[in-house]
Amino acid sequence: MQQMNVDPSDDEAVEKASDNKTATHQDSDSKPAVKKKRKQPTECFLSQPEEKQETTVKAKRRKKKKISDILQKTASKPGVPADLQNLLSQHFGENRSVIEIEELKLSDSCFLPSNDLTHSFSSYLKEICPKWAKLRRNHKEKKSVVMLVICSSALRSLELIKSMTAFKGDCRVLKLFAKHIKIKEQMNMLEKGVFHIGVGTPGRVKALVEQDGLCLNSTKYMILDWNWRDQKLRRMMDIPEIKKETIDLLEMSIIKLCREGSVKLGLF
């Protein structure tokens, strides 16, 4: 038998070819793994900013709804005469002539000292009305009151009536709001009896004046519940309806009486 001569170079070529095949197999096996690793971070990276944008939009929408949070954080400042004077100037400045605006202006002499937020209602009234006992004894006229207290609601009126117990003594107080009380009943009470203090809302007081149920000629003091805030943190002048009715009441006769010196305004 003849022996076949094998060239060692052929063996090396075979080994190299096999090595190349295994290398190509390894590369082909590793390529999909690399692709998977690259896809995962790109997907996570794209999804994260979308979530952040959604959360920021939701947060902005929530903040817009909660306007009362801003008022809650701001420190409350006591009302001063300039606040009411500016309010009247802005209200009348749009539709009135210069002469009419001058006639509706309130000077500083028309005002009583304002509440500096340290007083209870009784202590404030005692400070601004030191001669209340004498005024109460001398008041004999029907269909009128010595003091008018104007606030934003019937519930607030009841709170103020309770809180003035130390001041009012045995004087008679009349509720001047619309809730559960008909205007005819209030007119009958004013016509038949003598009342010293009236506490109520501007809309009902205005209606009583218009229907001659209440005369303001004997009124000496008008107190606005200026600084108190309701559950929504609104003051009486922050409520459009109450603001309009209060300004209408002032324009009807109070401003004229203040300019004449017969009525004084107080901001509680």
Side-chain angles (χ1 to χ4, degrees):
M1 293 180 63
Q2 292 182 354
Q3 291 182 352
M4 294 178 65
N5 293 327
V6 178
D7 190 358
S9 62
D10 294 337
D11 293 337
E12 289 177 0
V14 171
E15 287 178 1
K16 286 180 180 180
S18 63
D19 291 340
N20 290 333
K21 286 181 181 180
T22 54
T24 53
H25 283 301
Q26 286 177 357
D27 291 340
S28 62
D29 293 338
S30 62
K31 280 180 181 177
V34 171
K35 288 180 180 178
K36 288 180 182 178
K37 288 181 181 179
R38 287 177 183 174
K39 284 181 180 179
Q40 287 176 355
T42 52
E43 288 175 359
C44 295
F45 178 76
L46 289 171
S47 62
Q48 284 177 355
E50 288 177 0
E51 292 176 358
K52 287 181 180 179
Q53 287 177 358
E54 288 177 1
T55 53
T56 51
V57 170
K58 288 180 181 178
K60 286 180 180 178
R61 286 176 183 173
R62 286 174 188 171
K63 286 180 181 178
K64 285 181 181 178
K65 290 180 181 179
K66 296 180 180 179
I67 300 173
S68 58
D69 293 341
I70 300 170
L71 294 171
Q72 197 170 10
K73 291 177 182 179
T74 57
S76 57
K77 296 180 181 179
V80 293
D83 294 333
L84 180 57
Q85 291 166 334
N86 293 334
L87 188 69
L88 294 175
S89 297
Q90 291 174 3
H91 181 79
F92 295 130
E94 298 177 357
N95 304 317
R96 306 301 173 92
S97 65
V98 177
I99 297 172
E100 287 175 331
I101 292 172
E102 279 296 324
E103 292 176 351
L104 293 169
K105 278 186 177 180
L106 290 169
S107 63
D108 293 340
S109 60
C110 297
F111 290 87
L112 296 160
S114 300
N115 178 26
D116 57 0
L117 304 182
T118 61
H119 284 283
S120 65
F121 194 41
S122 285
S123 66
Y124 175 70
L125 295 178
K126 286 179 180 179
E127 180 179 308
I128 62 173
C129 308
K131 298 180 180 180
W132 174 250
K134 184 179 179 180
L135 288 171
R136 177 173 55 82
R137 285 195 303 268
N138 294 338
H139 180 63
K140 306 293 183 183
E141 295 182 23
K142 297 178 181 179
K143 296 178 65 176
S144 65
V145 292
V146 180
M147 179 185 293
L148 260 179
V149 181
I150 305 298
C151 57
S152 58
S153 66
L155 183 60
R156 179 58 179 166
S157 299
L158 296 175
E159 291 176 359
L160 288 172
I161 291 171
K162 288 180 181 179
S163 62
M164 67 166 65
T165 304
F167 168 78
K168 68 184 181 65
D170 59 351
C171 70
R172 300 186 70 189
V173 180
L174 183 61
K175 302 169 186 174
L176 300 177
F177 49 80
K179 192 172 183 179
H180 305 310
I181 306 174
K182 295 180 180 179
I183 191 168
K184 289 183 179 180
E185 294 178 8
Q186 292 167 335
M187 291 174 70
N188 290 334
M189 294 176 73
L190 285 163
E191 192 173 357
K192 293 178 181 179
V194 176
F195 291 89
H196 305 91
I197 302 174
V199 183
T201 54
R204 177 49 61 92
V205 173
K206 177 173 168 282
L208 286 166
V209 174
E210 286 175 338
Q211 298 182 33
D212 295 326
L214 177 65
C215 180
L216 299 177
N217 291 334
S218 298
T219 303
K220 303 297 181 186
Y221 303 100
M222 181 174 174
I223 312 300
L224 299 178
D225 188 29
W226 189 272
N227 297 297
W228 182 80
R229 295 180 184 269
D230 61 10
Q231 291 181 349
K232 296 181 181 179
L233 301 178
R234 300 174 303 177
R235 298 173 300 177
M236 63 179 293
M237 290 302 188
D238 296 328
I239 305 170
E241 183 181 355
I242 300 299
K243 174 184 173 182
K244 182 182 181 304
E245 290 173 345
T246 303
I247 293 175
D248 289 345
L249 176 62
L250 290 170
E251 184 183 6
M252 184 185 296
S253 54
I254 296 295
I255 291 177
K256 181 182 177 183
L257 293 172
C258 288
R259 289 170 66 90
E260 292 172 356
S262 59
V263 175
K264 297 288 185 182
L265 281 171
L267 305 181
F268 174 66

